[in-house]
């Protein structure tokens, strides 16, 4: 049995074109009133991976931990508390690079975090 469709009625009003919809990013909550991501800005690269040749300070951003013990899960970033300042090249190697094994990546991030944690504590103490 073949069904017959009724013709579409012509629209009397043209469709309105509005501004494109922009995805809004949720503001990440501060931990104990401290913006840990902002503390990473302007810092040198703490990862300093030996296989990376260029450590450009202009590209330093917070690199979140990729370890589940810090709250990392599929589709979920670790807490902002577990970030280190990292240049683009080192950040790429830690997140997507194939030059290091998982254990080497974790060891490099942990060593950088230990150094950064001390310096960050000094920065927070000095700002009080």
């Amino acid at each position: 049995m073949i069904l017959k469709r009724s013709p579409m009625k012509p629209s009397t009003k043209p469709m309105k074109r509005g501004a494109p919809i922009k995805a809004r990013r949720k503001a990440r909550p501060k931990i104990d009133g401290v913006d840990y991501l902002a503390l990473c800005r302007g810092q040198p690269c703490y990862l300093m991976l030996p296989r990376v040749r260029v450590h450009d300070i202009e590209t330093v951003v917070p690199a979140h931990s990729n370890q589940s013990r810090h709250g990392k899960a599929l589709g979920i970033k670790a807490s902002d508390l577990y970030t280190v300042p990292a240049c683009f090249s080192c950040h790429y190697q830690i997140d997507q690079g194939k030059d290091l094994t998982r254990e080497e990546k974790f060891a490099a991030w942990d060593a950088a975090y230990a150094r950064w944690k001390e310096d960050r504590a000094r920065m927070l103490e000095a700002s009080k």
Side-chain angles (χ1 to χ4, degrees):
M1 177 175 175
I2 300 175
L3 297 175
K4 193 172 186 180
R5 295 184 181 249
S6 59
M8 292 181 64
K9 295 179 184 176
S11 175
T12 57
K13 295 181 183 178
M15 290 179 58
K16 291 183 181 178
R17 280 203 153 166
I21 298 172
K22 293 182 181 178
R24 293 186 194 176
R25 295 179 84 184
K26 291 181 182 177
R28 295 185 70 115
K30 293 180 180 179
I31 302 165
D32 298 328
V34 177
D35 186 358
Y36 288 101
L37 299 181
L39 289 174
C40 292
R41 292 187 195 109
Q43 298 298 317
C45 177
Y46 273 70
L47 286 173
M48 296 298 286
L49 297 175
R51 295 181 187 168
V52 173
R53 294 185 188 146
V54 179
H55 300 280
D56 186 7
I57 195 166
E58 296 296 320
T59 65
V60 170
V61 293
H64 287 80
S65 171
N66 291 329
Q67 300 175 45
S68 60
R69 66 184 175 143
H70 296 139
K72 168 71 173 126
L74 185 62
I76 300 172
K77 279 187 177 181
S79 167
D80 291 344
L81 180 65
Y82 300 107
T83 56
V84 295
C87 67
F88 173 81
S89 302
C90 288
H91 196 170
Y92 174 81
Q93 286 300 324
I94 287 289
D95 284 348
Q96 291 105 15
K98 306 288 185 211
D99 294 343
L100 302 171
T101 66
R102 183 178 175 159
E103 292 76 24
E104 289 173 327
K105 290 178 182 182
F106 285 0
W109 193 92
D110 288 340
Y113 183 69
R115 291 189 310 274
W116 171 239
K117 192 174 177 182
E118 291 175 6
D119 292 347
R120 184 181 65 192
R122 275 188 239 123
M123 289 171 56
L124 289 172
E125 190 61 37
S127 68
K128 288 183 180 180

